[in-house]
Amino acid sequence: MRPGSGRGRRSVAHTADVRIEAWAPDREGCVAEAVAAMVETFADTTGAGPGVEAEFDVPAGDDADLLVGVLDEVIFRLETAGTLPVTTRVSATGSGGLRVRWRLVDTGAVELVGAVPKAVALQELRFGPGPRGWSCAVTLDV
């Protein structure tokens, strides 16, 4: 799939780090696709099992800050709890933030296939609406 054609994601070549792109008709869908793109760069979640449901809120901010907040939470949970999201649902909150609902699994339940991200780079970060929906491009430090 290409940006502007429904929902999708991909990783693209980038020197020494990992670069992901995601797109969807709306902001929340684009964030969910970005999470999936991030996880796919380092884990094969096929057959990961049921996992546990978790939810958290990202406080209001500009769109790029919201995206970074969600991706940073993926890294935080990896580092502190050894879990990663295998499904992501994102909705807007009344306060302008985001509510994120995940199905999380233990990293031992998946096959690690790449370098685990250590941080979300702010340089070359792009996230916003366009004529055919929302898209983002993010570099992940590995």
Side-chain angles (χ1 to χ4, degrees), residues 57-125:
D57 289 341
V58 180
D62 70 29
D63 294 323
D65 289 341
L66 293 172
L67 174 63
V68 170
V70 174
L71 297 177
D72 279 345
E73 186 71 14
V74 174
I75 294 169
F76 175 76
R77 289 177 188 242
L78 276 165
E79 293 176 348
T80 63
T83 60
L84 60 95
V86 292
T87 61
T88 303
R89 293 182 318 272
V90 181
S91 58
T93 64
S95 65
L98 296 175
R99 174 156 296 134
V100 180
R101 292 179 177 90
W102 278 333
R103 183 169 60 90
L104 298 168
V105 297
D106 186 272
T107 54
V110 302
E111 180 182 355
L112 296 180
V113 296
V116 176
K118 302 294 181 210
V120 177
L122 299 180
Q123 59 272 37
E124 300 180 18
L125 175 69

Side-chain angles (χ1 to χ4, degrees), residues 10-11 17 19 23 28-29 32 35 50 52-53 57 62 64-66 83 87 90 96 110-111 118 126 131 138:
R10 66 181 173 194
S11 60
D17 292 314
R19 184 115 171 123
W23 56 92
E28 293 77 16
V35 170
V52 297
E53 295 289 325
D57 289 341
D62 70 29
D65 289 341
L66 293 172
T83 60
T87 61
V90 181
V110 302
E111 180 182 355
K118 302 294 181 210
R126 180 179 50 75
V138 180

